[in-house]
Every structure is written in structure tokens, then in C-alpha cells.
Amino acid sequence: MDFALASEPVDPVEPVPVPGTGGEQLYLRRTVSTAAKLLVVGHFAVGKTTFVGSLSEIRPLRTEETMTQAGAGVDDLAGIEGKTTTTVAMDFGRLTLSDSLVLYLFGAPGQQRFTRLWQDMTQGALGALVLADTRRLEQSFDVMGLLEELGLPYGVAVNHFDGAPVHPEEEIREALDLLPETPLVTCDARDRVSSTRALIALVEYLQRRTVREHA
């Protein structure tokens, strides 16, 4: 199986559950010939675990732990006071995006103290989807800066939170100082269809980059 991206358009398929597994698609389709490793990143409490969980066709691997008082002075809980757990290693999921393409999703913890882990996780990754929150857009700069330092292409998905301000796409693009070609979409990490569209936008962007690099 190749770990790359073909240039054909992405045609999303519905997962085929294995009987007796509670709806999980445990095994890859025989037609799958290409696999891609993608990171799902973003600042603390932006919805990465929810995003991976809503998409994964297998039971997602999660490494969430209960937040303690020791982290109260380190992790900014402004606006997310109800959050009680945090990822301490990674989230992992799998999504068959087309008859020939499977995505392996790695969700990275958002706190800066996990930067070294990010560096290890980028090995073999083709790109990253940065989740952003319009209430805390400024917290996305460190995330995008790290990806740029590591040379990993990325797209941005603004995750919808109830009560969060809504801004026009051009204003968000300007606020985040994104290049014209960098994908910018909105999504609801709780919704599988919405999250899939965000991933497709990233995959198609990476396909276009691949075509240009080999032209």
C-alpha cells in the first residue's frame, strides 16, 4: 500500500460496518491502495478529540485524563470552564475517504508543553488540519507557526461552538494571515458530514500541491 496521495478527485464513501461490532468498520476495503497520515491540531480545547471521534470508522484511541488543580495555572480555561479532561498523548482514528484512499488521523494535544511530541508525530505526515475557535483566534498562531517551522502544509477549519462569534471568511483569513491558497473552511466537529468536508478540503489541497511539485 502506498503512503501518498493520488491526484484523482476525492469521492467520499460511506463506511461499511462489520456485523456484531456496533457499527465499526474494522477491516480495510480490498480496493484501498493508498494511505495518508494526517494530523488534527489546534490550541487547547478546540475540539480535536471530538473531531477525530466523530470521523473515525473504528473505535478511536484516546488518551484523555481528568484535569487537576495542578494545571489550573497552566491551561487557559477562559470560556471553557466546563472542560474536565484533556488529551495527554494523542487521539487516533481511521477514515476510508474513497474506494482507494484511507486516512489515518492523529490528534495532537494542544498545550505548548507537548511540542516535542508534535515533532515526533509529524514524521510521515502529509499535512495537518488546524482547528480554530473564533473566540480565541490568536491562540492559533503558535500552532500554525510550529507547522511552518516543521515544513508541514496545513489547512484551517473553524470549529463551530455555540455562542461563538461568526465572522466572514475573508475577515478570518486576514486575521490568521493565511496565504490565498491555504484552505479555510468552517465545520462542526460533532458532525461527521461537516468534519468530512473539512478533511476533503485539506486532502484536495495536498493533491494540488503534489501535482505542482511533480509537474
Side-chain angles (χ1 to χ4, degrees), residues 16 43 116 141 181 211:
V16 178
H43 57 72
R116 180 61 183 272
F141 284 109
E181 62 269 22
V211 170

Side-chain angles (χ1 to χ4, degrees), residues 62-82:
R62 292 173 173 167
T63 57
E64 284 194 308
E65 294 291 343
T66 301
M67 297 178 64
T68 64
Q69 189 61 34
V74 180
D75 299 327
D76 183 9
L77 293 175
I80 50 170
E81 290 79 3

Side-chain angles (χ1 to χ4, degrees), residues 96-137:
T96 303
L97 199 58
S98 72
D99 287 334
S100 62
L101 174 63
V102 64
L103 304 180
Y104 292 106
L105 308 176
F106 290 77
Q111 297 93 322
Q112 288 191 349
R113 59 182 178 273
F114 294 110
T115 297
R116 180 61 183 272
L117 176 61
W118 275 44
Q119 294 171 339
D120 294 337
M121 290 178 66
T122 58
Q123 298 297 318
L126 295 182
L129 186 67
V130 179
L131 294 187
D133 179 352
T134 56
R135 300 170 298 181
R136 298 176 289 156
L137 282 179

Side-chain angles (χ1 to χ4, degrees), residues 52 127 141 163 196:
V52 173
F141 284 109
T196 300

Side-chain angles (χ1 to χ4, degrees), residues 2-214:
D2 296 327
F3 284 80
L5 283 178
S7 58
E8 290 81 6
V10 175
D11 184 17
V13 298
E14 289 296 323
V16 178
V18 176
T21 62
E24 292 184 69
Q25 182 189 355
L26 297 181
Y27 305 106
L28 288 179
R29 299 184 178 198
R30 295 178 182 273
T31 56
V32 171
S33 58
T34 303
K37 175 183 178 181
L38 299 178
L39 303 188
V40 178
V41 300
H43 57 72
F44 175 63
V46 76
K48 300 177 293 293
T49 297
T50 301
F51 186 91
V52 173
S54 70
L55 282 173
S56 183
E57 63 199 16
I58 60 175
R59 185 172 303 163
L61 169 66
R62 292 173 173 167
T63 57
E64 284 194 308
E65 294 291 343
T66 301
M67 297 178 64
T68 64
Q69 189 61 34
V74 180
D75 299 327
D76 183 9
L77 293 175
I80 50 170
E81 290 79 3
K83 185 173 177 60
T84 59
T85 61
T86 185
T87 299
V88 296
M90 69 173 187
D91 300 307
F92 173 76
R94 190 189 77 196
L95 175 64
T96 303
L97 199 58
S98 72
D99 287 334
S100 62
L101 174 63
V102 64
L103 304 180
Y104 292 106
L105 308 176
F106 290 77
Q111 297 93 322
Q112 288 191 349
R113 59 182 178 273
F114 294 110
T115 297
R116 180 61 183 272
L117 176 61
W118 275 44
Q119 294 171 339
D120 294 337
M121 290 178 66
T122 58
Q123 298 297 318
L126 295 182
L129 186 67
V130 179
L131 294 187
D133 179 352
T134 56
R135 300 170 298 181
R136 298 176 289 156
L137 282 179
E138 72 283 353
Q139 295 186 24
S140 296
F141 284 109
D142 288 340
V143 176
M144 296 186 296
L146 180 57
L147 292 174
E148 291 168 3
E149 288 179 15
L150 296 171
L152 195 66
Y154 62 87
V156 177
V158 177
N159 190 15
H160 172 75
F161 288 90
D162 295 336
V166 178
H167 303 290
E169 178 181 323
E170 58 272 17
E171 291 184 8
I172 296 176
R173 182 175 292 276
E174 181 178 358
L176 293 176
D177 195 24
L178 299 179
L179 295 174
E181 62 269 22
T182 300
L184 174 62
V185 298
T186 58
C187 75
D188 185 337
R190 300 165 295 185
D191 181 73
R192 179 182 178 87
V193 173
S194 174
S195 299
T196 300
R197 289 172 180 164
L199 267 187
I200 289 176
L202 173 63
V203 169
E204 291 180 338
Y205 167 62
L206 296 174
Q207 288 176 329
R208 293 192 297 269
R209 284 177 55 97
T210 300
V211 170
R212 288 199 304 267
E213 290 173 358
H214 293 84

